[in-house]
Amino acid sequence: MTPAAPAYRRLSVEERRTQLLEAALGLFAHRAPEDVSLDDVAEAAGVSRPLVYRYFPGGKQQLYEAALRSAADELRQCFDEPREGPLLIRLSRALDRYLAFVDQHDAGFSALLQGGSVVETSRTTAIVDGVRRAAAEHILSHLGVTEPGLRLRMTVRMWITAVEAASLIWLDEGKQPPLDELRDWLVDQFVAVLTVTAARDPQTATLAQALTSHI
């Protein structure tokens, strides 16, 4: 008796859209967006080109922005760490997730999240900046600060920029040093920049003192 073929399950609109976004993110992970065509996305997803257009009638620009939002949502969640245990351990866990994302997306990290692409627009720039702002809000929340002063806000955002830059350099340097060393180094830098700002800002000085007392 011939076994019955498995029943074909029609994907819902949301499932199909997710499938296409995952295919696009997989391609953008290793190639610049301008080097990825809708035909490439259709082939990676195992669907026809017209079907891609059905879900993204704006073409590659709309697909790219949707993929960018999906990646941005994942990066925002990296810093969404439970408020339990020492701050530096929480920060280390958040960095582990962030750097794992960078590692997974490899050379496409720059094109996908750092701009420099021909498909970059004010909307894509705003999406990326939203990730940075969300990361800063999470860190300030972990610090227990509801009304951060200018110097503290600037210090946290400067450190986030340093994390991004270090991630890109890490990719350029053949993923060296090892991720755990890079993570620990970035945590040390966080303490260092807070200590420097503490010399000029009483609010940061109080935080830095509390932080270092638990090291």
Side-chain angles (χ1 to χ4, degrees), residues 5 15 19 22 24 46 51 56 86 91 106 118 140 147 160 171 175 187:
E15 287 173 330
Q19 178 197 31
E22 289 177 348
L51 183 63
F56 299 98
L91 189 60
D106 202 7
V118 296
L140 290 169
E147 296 183 3
I160 292 168
L171 292 173
K175 298 186 176 181
V187 171

Side-chain angles (χ1 to χ4, degrees), residues 66-132:
L68 182 58
R69 289 190 185 93
S70 177
D73 288 342
E74 186 174 341
L75 278 175
R76 286 191 188 94
Q77 293 172 12
C78 289
F79 289 92
D80 190 10
E81 177 71 22
R83 272 60 170 171
E84 300 173 356
L87 172 63
L88 296 186
I89 293 178
R90 286 181 260 158
L91 189 60
S92 293
R93 288 196 295 258
L95 281 173
D96 279 338
R97 290 191 292 271
Y98 183 94
L99 294 174
F101 181 94
V102 175
D103 187 24
Q104 178 185 353
H105 287 81
D106 202 7
F109 178 73
S110 176
L112 188 63
L113 294 175
Q114 303 302 309
S117 168
V118 296
V119 294
E120 182 182 9
T121 66
S122 59
R123 291 191 300 275
T124 61
T125 300
I127 294 169
V128 174
D129 191 55
V131 174
R132 298 170 182 143

Side-chain angles (χ1 to χ4, degrees), residues 19-72:
Q19 178 197 31
L20 294 175
L21 285 177
E22 289 177 348
L25 281 171
L27 294 170
F28 293 147
H30 303 288
R31 292 156 62 184
E34 55 265 34
D35 295 332
V36 176
S37 69
L38 289 182
D39 286 332
D40 293 330
V41 175
E43 181 179 358
V47 300
S48 66
R49 192 173 193 271
L51 183 63
V52 179
Y53 262 113
R54 183 187 306 173
Y55 284 84
F56 299 98
K60 189 169 72 172
Q61 181 64 38
Q62 183 184 7
L63 178 60
Y64 171 71
E65 290 180 13
L68 182 58
R69 289 190 185 93
S70 177

Side-chain angles (χ1 to χ4, degrees), residues 140-141 144-153 201 203-204 207:
L140 290 169
S141 177
V145 179
T146 56
E147 296 183 3
L150 174 61
R151 291 184 187 274
L152 179 58
R153 292 200 309 273
D201 179 52
Q203 182 185 43
T204 306
L207 292 171

Side-chain angles (χ1 to χ4, degrees), residues 91-96 99 159 177-189:
L91 189 60
S92 293
R93 288 196 295 258
L95 281 173
D96 279 338
L99 294 174
W159 178 76
L179 276 177
D180 57 343
E181 293 183 18
L182 178 60
R183 175 205 63 212
D184 291 345
W185 185 29
L186 290 171
V187 171
D188 289 345
Q189 287 185 350

